[in-house]
Amino acid sequence: MNWLKNLITIVLGLIVIGVGILFTIHNTDQVTIDLVFFQLPQASLSLWLIATFVLGALCGILLSILTILSLKTRLHSSQRKVVAFRKELDQLRTAGLKDST
């Protein structure tokens, strides 16, 4: 089953690379990006689109990492509280047994 997963991953990777090459070949027009306060240098449309896609993916990954770190911090805090509550519960149980004897 693992070989099937690897095969599908390789095929999908090759398809993405093929589409990227076709995209680059068909979008060779030179464009200048004007960002109100400054202009970016002239480059092919495909380069700017791919750069934008990569930048967006990196921003998404960064935000996901920050969210995951926040959730892990909350999880560890909750786990510490659970340990403390269990200790307290064990102490109360043993105290109840000592009082009844």
Side-chain angles (χ1 to χ4, degrees), residues 22 26 35 37 42 47 51 54-55 61 89 93 98-99 101:
L22 288 174
H26 290 289
L35 300 172
F37 299 110
Q42 191 172 16
L47 176 69
V54 169
L55 184 63
I61 290 170
L89 182 60
R93 283 182 181 160
K98 290 178 183 176
D99 291 341
T101 57

Side-chain angles (χ1 to χ4, degrees), residues 53-69:
F53 176 75
V54 169
L55 184 63
L58 291 175
C59 288
I61 290 170
L62 178 65
L63 290 174
S64 295
I65 288 172
L66 292 175
T67 302
I68 289 170
L69 289 175

Side-chain angles (χ1 to χ4, degrees), residues 2-70:
N2 196 19
W3 64 272
L4 182 62
K5 181 180 174 183
N6 289 337
L7 179 66
I8 290 172
T9 302
I10 290 170
V11 169
L12 287 175
L14 290 173
I15 289 172
V16 168
I17 289 171
V19 169
I21 290 171
L22 288 174
F23 180 78
T24 303
I25 290 171
H26 290 289
N27 290 300
T28 58
D29 297 339
Q30 297 291 316
V31 295
T32 301
I33 306 295
D34 185 12
L35 300 172
V36 182
F37 299 110
F38 61 94
Q39 284 187 346
L40 297 175
Q42 191 172 16
S44 69
L45 177 61
S46 62
L47 176 69
W48 287 121
L49 291 174
I50 290 171
T52 303
F53 176 75
V54 169
L55 184 63
L58 291 175
C59 288
I61 290 170
L62 178 65
L63 290 174
S64 295
I65 288 172
L66 292 175
T67 302
I68 289 170
L69 289 175
S70 171

Side-chain angles (χ1 to χ4, degrees), residues 51-100:
T52 303
F53 176 75
V54 169
L55 184 63
L58 291 175
C59 288
I61 290 170
L62 178 65
L63 290 174
S64 295
I65 288 172
L66 292 175
T67 302
I68 289 170
L69 289 175
S70 171
L71 290 173
K72 281 187 176 185
T73 302
R74 288 177 52 193
L75 176 64
H76 289 301
S77 173
S78 296
Q79 287 174 338
R80 282 194 303 271
K81 287 180 183 178
V82 166
V83 168
F85 290 145
R86 283 190 179 156
K87 283 182 182 178
E88 181 181 359
L89 182 60
D90 288 340
Q91 288 174 351
L92 291 173
R93 283 182 181 160
T94 57
L97 291 174
K98 290 178 183 176
D99 291 341
S100 64

